[in-house]
Amino acid sequence: MFLRDKMTDGLIEVLDMNAVFNPFTAVVHGRTQIGEDTMDEADFDKTALVFPSGESLPRCWCDSHYRAAG
């Protein structure tokens, strides 16, 4: 799965899908894609990631209290 970093507008190849779906995990392990080059693995803050289309990640993936009113 690829996500986009809002700060750099670069694509991130997600290496740990469970971290993306887990609302109790704040970071995602992946690597930046620059053209055909693949960079070293790193951790990325989930709040800085969106889908490649620019759409935000679902709240239930990022907020462990997503069922609370508000």
Side-chain angles (χ1 to χ4, degrees), residues 4-5 8 13 15-16 23 27-31 35 37 39 43-44 47-48 52 56 59 62-65 67-68:
R4 184 172 302 279
D5 186 334
T8 65
E13 179 186 8
L15 301 175
D16 182 7
V27 296
V28 173
H29 194 69
R31 58 181 160 221
D37 296 331
M39 298 293 135
D43 289 331
F44 299 90
T47 60
S56 298
R59 185 174 171 207
C62 302
D63 182 5
S64 61
H65 301 290
R67 290 185 183 197

Side-chain angles (χ1 to χ4, degrees), residues 32-54:
T32 305
Q33 291 288 129
I34 299 175
E36 293 182 16
D37 296 331
T38 301
M39 298 293 135
D40 292 333
E41 296 179 11
D43 289 331
F44 299 90
D45 186 5
K46 229 195 289 191
T47 60
L49 300 176
V50 294
F51 288 109
S53 65

